[in-house]
Amino acid sequence: MHKDIAQILVNEQEIKDICVSMGNQITKDYQNKNLILVGLLKGCVPFISDLSRNIDLKFDMAYMSVASYHGGIASSGDVKIKMDLDISIKGRDVLIVEDIVDTANTIVTIMELFKHRGANTVKIATLLDKPEGRLKPYQPEYVGRVIPKAFVVGYGLDYDEYYRNLPYVGILKPEVYNTK
Ligand code: PRP
C-alpha cells in the first residue's frame, strides 16, 4: 500500500467485480437502445476502460473534460467545461461514466446540458457514490460502491493531480493535505 494511504476502501478484486456486474446489468438494460458512453475526464479513465470491456453491445464512446475541484479537497460548486464532446448526442441514450458522485454539482449540471442538447435518455454509471456529500438531490442509476464522507484517491481519483494511478481506492492520510 502507498505510504500516503491510510486505508484501502475498494481493492482491486472488488473493482473488477463491480465492473463485471455493472457491465452485465448495462448490457441487459441497453438492448435495442442507441447507447453512447460519455466519460468525464480525467477521473473516469480507469473505470470507463474496465467497465466498457464488460459491456457486450455495439456502442461508441466520447469524452468531456469538466472540473469543479481546482486542486483542493472540497468542491467549489463551479463546474467548468474545459473540453466539450466532439459528436452530437441528439437522440442518443447517454450513459455518463464517473469515478465519483459527491456534491452532485458536476453530474446535475452535465445532465441538464445533455437533455438540453436533445439526448433521448441520460443516466449515470459511477464507481463511487458519496451520498453524505450531496448539495443537490441526485441518485445515480448505476453505483459500484457507496462510500463514507472521507477524501479518497486512486483508480482515477486524484489529490492535486497525484494518486490517479493507484490500482485501488483508498483514504488519503489527512497529513498529506493538511501540510500543504
Ligand atoms: C471529480 C470527479 C467528478 C466530480 C464529482 O472531478 O471526477 O467529476 O469531481 O464531484 P461532485 O459530485 O462534487 O461534482 P474533478 O472536478 O476533481 O476533475 P477530475 O476528474 O479531472 O479529477
Side-chain angles (χ1 to χ4, degrees):
M1 190 166 78
H2 193 287
K3 65 175 176 48
D4 295 344
I5 301 299
Q7 182 195 337
I8 294 178
L9 265 191
V10 195
N11 68 35
E12 287 187 70
Q13 187 56 53
E14 290 169 327
I15 290 172
K16 277 187 187 140
D17 293 344
I18 288 168
C19 291
V20 170
S21 62
M22 196 184 289
N24 287 342
Q25 189 61 49
I26 292 166
T27 302
K28 282 189 194 128
D29 295 349
Y30 282 83
Q31 300 283 330
N32 306 314
K33 301 257 191 195
N34 195 0
L35 176 64
I36 178 168
L37 291 193
V38 171
L40 299 188
L41 298 169
K42 303 172 189 173
C44 74
V45 170
F47 186 48
I48 198 169
S49 172
D50 289 338
L51 178 66
S52 63
R53 283 177 284 175
N54 285 285
I55 302 174
D56 188 14
L57 294 169
K58 185 179 179 187
F59 60 93
D60 54 349
M61 294 159 77
Y63 298 90
M64 232 176 140
S65 180
V66 301
S68 64
Y69 275 37
H70 312 305
I73 62 161
S75 171
S76 65
D78 176 20
V79 178
K80 287 189 170 40
I81 295 179
K82 299 197 289 187
M83 184 193 83
D84 208 342
L85 297 174
D86 60 357
I87 55 167
S88 168
I89 52 165
K90 196 169 166 51
R92 304 296 306 274
D93 294 302
V94 179
L95 185 57
I96 301 173
V97 180
E98 267 284 29
D99 49 349
I100 187 166
V101 176
D102 184 1
T103 65
N105 281 331
T106 305
I107 213 62
V108 168
T109 304
I110 300 302
M111 285 187 79
E112 282 168 9
L113 175 69
F114 285 3
K115 284 177 187 161
H116 179 74
R117 288 179 178 180
N120 186 39
T121 59
V122 185
K123 294 185 178 179
I124 312 299
T126 186
L127 175 70
L128 307 173
D129 186 13
K130 199 195 281 184
E132 288 171 55
R134 286 290 192 286
L135 293 177
K136 293 179 177 169
Y138 183 72
Q139 172 63 48
E141 286 80 5
Y142 301 92
V143 173
R145 176 72 73 83
V146 175
I147 62 164
K149 199 170 164 54
F151 190 75
V152 293
V153 295
Y155 197 69
L157 293 122
D158 73 307
Y159 169 62
D160 221 5
E161 297 299 328
Y162 292 105
Y163 310 107
R164 294 190 197 272
N165 60 311
L166 299 181
Y168 50 80
V169 174
I171 298 176
L172 192 62
K173 287 181 180 170
E175 57 259 38
V176 176
Y177 46 85
N178 284 339
T179 54
K180 275 209 81 177

